[in-house]
Amino acid sequence: MTEREIIEFLNTHNYDIRISHNARWIDQKCTPDVLCIVADCISNYIDANGDIEFSSKDIWFSEYAIQNVHDIFRKVQVDSSSASNEYDKFFGQPIKLFAYAGILNEEKLGKGNKYRLANRAILDYISFRERNALQFLIKYIGKVIADSGLDHSFDAFFAEQTPQSYDSLKTTFFNFTVSNTAIGSKGSSGRLECGRIFTKVVNVLAFSLNKRGTEKGRLSQHAITYDMLMYNRDNFRDIYAEKPKSVSRKDYIAQHHFAINEAYYRYLSTRAKRRLKLYNDHHRNGLSEMPGDNEHATHIHHIFPAGEYPEISYYLENLIALTPNQHLNNAHPDGRTTAIDRDYQHDCLIVKTDIIRENIEQVEEVIYSFSDFLHVLFVGFNEETFLEIEPNDYDGVKAKIELEYGA
């Protein structure tokens, strides 16, 4: 699935809210990470049950969701008495978005709604990783805003970012939503809903433009960052801000009793490994990404260990497909998975640089991001100069990697 195909898909739909009068085209729980995992749950449900009709509760109570979601997102148990309202939003709001976008077909049956898959390729693209979900959101929100005639108001705010332009856009958005959807009949609670929806809309667009958005009901002081768009994100910059270089990250977390959501990163890592293996099987005939072994690459290895670097454990740019022998003898000396061979780690990074370059420049199905690769290297080496490398300067990346290993 390419960016062009996403745009072509969106262009086949008219999302004008003045025609649909549908306020649920986006909602509070429609963050990139939630959209990603709900799309993943839907894909898993369809794979397990076939292309059948389903409700949001079918996804909510699916075995895959039960095994993952309540631990990952620190929710109550899905079958507890207090879960209904929260989980109804958690699954229902993204599914409503997918239906409005045309990824799912929606049919009203009695008091509830039934859904059926309309576009598997888009759903799988969103489920692939959070960055994909975010890219879809950026284009989808932009299309809805343009179709609804609100694009000029948003353009004016991003062109001149002042408290006055912020208030003007917010008032325009609120009045538009109240006038054209059922939210207008809810009085003060409807205005509250407008605020939640406005945040999800303006901040995604602000992030895509590196602009200020909204924070606590006001114009944000700084440009909107990636972590501000997420429902569930540990702030690792704050966690490691005071860490001495002589202390390992794992020991530092244990000493200071930081609560890292391990289940969340374990799920993301497992999902990313599965995605990379599928891609490698399809595009590289299942062979190792490292030279020297022609056996099937059945292992996916973290170049920077997941236990030490949970925040980059799910980045495809930090994963590499290896044969069992390469993984357990070369990457991990004597099969000790808690140990890393630094020389082989160096080799993996150099080879991965070329693989990422080839994928971005030559392959239609692009799964890597150069900026994400720089982020992986920044975190892995705790070296901010990686973030200063010019876009697509792969030779510059290799040169800095060599410096890290004293070559």
Side-chain angles (χ1 to χ4, degrees), residues 152-189:
H152 296 302
S153 297
F154 279 87
D155 290 344
F157 166 65
F158 290 127
E160 184 182 1
Q161 299 221 279
T162 65
Q164 292 74 28
S165 67
Y166 170 84
D167 289 340
S168 176
L169 175 63
K170 191 173 181 179
T171 298
T172 298
F173 186 85
F174 276 42
N175 291 341
F176 175 90
T177 304
V178 167
S179 298
N180 290 284
T181 73
I183 282 179
S185 64
K186 295 186 176 182
S188 59
S189 65

Side-chain angles (χ1 to χ4, degrees), residues 79-124:
D79 55 354
S80 73
S81 59
S82 60
S84 181
N85 187 51
E86 189 64 28
Y87 273 97
D88 184 55
K89 293 176 182 177
F90 186 88
F91 288 98
Q93 290 178 1
I95 288 174
K96 280 285 188 181
L97 183 151
F98 295 150
Y100 194 83
I103 299 168
L104 301 176
N105 291 323
E106 182 181 42
E107 182 182 1
K108 186 75 173 176
L109 290 176
K111 293 183 178 180
N113 297 302
K114 285 288 187 179
Y115 301 90
R116 197 172 196 124
L117 184 64
N119 193 306
R120 179 64 186 259
I122 303 289
L123 186 73
D124 284 347

Side-chain angles (χ1 to χ4, degrees), residues 29 31 33-34 73 75 86 90 229-233:
K29 296 295 190 289
T31 58
D33 49 346
V34 174
F73 288 93
K75 295 294 180 186
E86 189 64 28
F90 186 88
L229 304 176
M230 298 297 161
Y231 180 81
N232 187 59
R233 181 71 64 188

